[in-house]
Amino acid sequence: MIGYYIHHQGLGHRNRATQIARELTVPVTGFSSLERPEAWPGEWVQLPPDVAQDPVDPTANDVLHWAPLEHPGYRERMGLMAQRLRSDVELMVTDTSAEVTLLARLMGVPTVVMAMRGDRTDRTHRAAYDAATALIAPWSRETAETYWPEEWTRKTTFTGAISRFDVPVRVPGSSAEHVPGAYSSGEQAPGARTATRGASGSGASDVGGQRVLVVWGRGGTDVGDTEIEAARAATPGWSWTVRSPENPSPDLWRELHEADVVVSHGGNNAVAELSAAHSRAVVVAQPRPHDEQAATAAALERAGICVGLQHWPDAAAWPRLLARARQLGGSRWDAWRHGDGAYRAARALEDLLHGVPS
């Protein structure tokens, strides 16, 4: 049985884990403080929260990221996982926690870390990545992190982006519902209505303007209404629509296709969805630990996939940035994704579980 730890910050970790779990042909148990998603195919262990207002030595003198002393919730959650690691978990996936990775390894269970962008060279990340039996990187080898040591790369499966808009691959015994394949820019996602770009390729189906779709996630943004209004004022002829947890899209797949340019934060799942839609995009990094989104935006810019920015630009820059995003187009997203990232991740996990050489 595969155990799968899912971090509770935002919903991106859970969404990605669910896509992978649905491609597995072996039992999988999720461990998380988050509630069980409807599509989760196996058991779900609800972990108690480990947040603390005044934590006692949470980093263990800078050896760990989060291990507060004398915290009953933290002790219980680690104990619950330890019980299962002792009994029936044969492979532990972490997305993401250095402490859970090290717990599993100390109990003699093979571990797989879902790698993340950004600077992971701190003491704790290095310990987890070094100790892991394998790594899974939800990006392509072509767009890999440039600083990684060779020993990490050797044990990594580069799956490409993993998006909820990818077509699941049917494998015997899995819960996937669709035939092999991947969405191109003209195909339709499950449950989404058909969306077509204009004859000029603009993506605008209405008359009299071009569309910018702004997409923010649950992790927060340092961009406010003032910055959006200034960008809107600087781009006459463009209409701006903002989608966020407070103003969610009624049909994101459709809106991604209808937009001439999508402006998005640099979260892993958001970028994966841009790649699935082959969107012409401007990705603006938001502040995150270990510069995760900054690294993503830099990789996108470096590969010429879309416009990647380290911070929100001055309003006067937006006409040029939107024009450049349209010029780049969306074809280079195929360098970021393979279209079956969840399937590749699931096969890598099962191969490791069954002892198949990589």
Side-chain angles (χ1 to χ4, degrees):
M1 191 267 285
I2 293 177
Y4 208 126
Y5 174 81
I6 300 159
H7 198 274
H8 54 269
Q9 181 66 35
L11 296 179
H13 300 285
R14 190 181 70 174
N15 291 342
R16 178 168 60 195
T18 302
Q19 302 309 312
I20 295 172
R22 294 183 66 222
E23 297 285 3
L24 291 169
T25 64
V26 298
V28 58
T29 295
F31 299 89
S32 182
S33 301
L34 296 172
E35 294 183 357
R36 180 185 187 274
E38 281 188 26
W40 186 261
E43 183 184 356
W44 188 266
V45 176
Q46 189 90 30
L47 299 175
D50 62 351
V51 295
Q53 187 172 2
D54 297 305
V56 179
D57 189 20
T59 66
N61 297 311
D62 294 327
V63 174
L64 301 171
H65 288 149
W66 186 256
L69 289 172
E70 303 171 2
H71 189 299
Y74 181 79
R75 293 179 69 177
E76 183 180 356
R77 64 193 283 123
M78 298 300 274
L80 287 169
M81 285 183 281
Q83 290 175 12
R84 299 299 295 269
L85 288 163
R86 181 175 178 269
S87 59
D88 59 350
V89 173
E90 302 169 271
L91 177 70
M92 190 68 169
V93 186
T94 57
D95 187 3
T96 174
S97 167
E99 291 73 27
V100 176
T101 301
L102 296 173
L103 171 68
R105 182 61 188 86
L106 285 168
M107 297 193 69
V109 175
T111 58
V112 178
V113 169
M114 291 296 299
M116 296 181 68
R117 294 272 187 185
D119 184 1
R120 308 293 165 173
T121 60
D122 62 277
R123 181 179 184 179
T124 309
H125 272 115
R126 283 207 70 117
Y129 281 41
D130 287 345
T133 307
L135 304 173
I136 291 178
W139 53 81
S140 66
R141 185 179 292 270
E142 179 181 350
T143 59
E145 295 281 36
T146 57
Y147 74 87
W148 270 28
E150 178 58 30
E151 58 266 28
W152 291 1
T153 300
R154 280 198 304 268
K155 60 182 180 181
T156 297
T157 297
F158 294 93
T159 65
I162 298 173
S163 167
R164 59 180 168 150
F165 294 135
D166 293 334
V167 176
V169 177
R170 182 182 296 279
V171 290
S174 78
S175 58
E177 301 172 348
H178 300 277
V179 296
Y183 295 120
S184 70
S185 57
E187 294 175 312
Q188 188 175 357
R193 301 185 299 276
T194 302
T196 57
R197 301 190 189 277
S200 65
S202 70
S205 60
D206 61 340
V207 177
Q210 300 174 94
R211 299 183 181 182
V212 177
L213 175 67
V214 181
V215 180
W216 299 134
R218 291 180 179 270
T221 174
D222 61 359
V223 180
D225 293 341
T226 300
E227 288 82 4
I228 296 292
E229 288 304 318
R232 181 182 282 117
T235 53
W238 290 79
S239 64
W240 289 63
T241 299
V242 180
R243 296 302 187 188
S244 66
E246 296 73 33
N247 182 35
S249 171
D251 189 340
L252 182 60
W253 182 249
R254 181 182 182 88
E255 289 195 325
L256 288 174
H257 279 79
E258 289 180 340
D260 291 86
V261 175
V262 181
V263 176
S264 172
H265 64 98
N268 179 80
N269 282 269
V271 173
E273 291 175 357
L274 295 178
S275 75
H278 289 76
S279 296
R280 289 154 296 195
V282 178
V283 172
V284 185
Q286 298 302 293
R288 293 294 185 273
H290 307 284
D291 292 329
E292 175 193 345
Q293 293 199 13
T296 298
L300 291 167
E301 178 71 24
R302 189 166 57 244
I305 294 171
C306 68
V307 178
L309 303 178
Q310 295 300 299
H311 53 79
W312 188 264
D314 292 336
W318 276 108
R320 171 179 55 82
L321 292 171
L322 296 178
R324 181 165 173 251
R326 291 201 59 186
Q327 183 180 23
L328 286 171
S331 63
R332 280 288 293 164
W333 281 112
D334 288 337
W336 194 263
R337 69 188 296 270
H338 305 303
D340 58 352
Y343 174 81
R344 292 177 185 234
R347 299 289 72 74
L349 295 178
E350 293 193 9
D351 285 349
L352 187 59
L353 182 67
H354 299 314
V356 177
S358 58

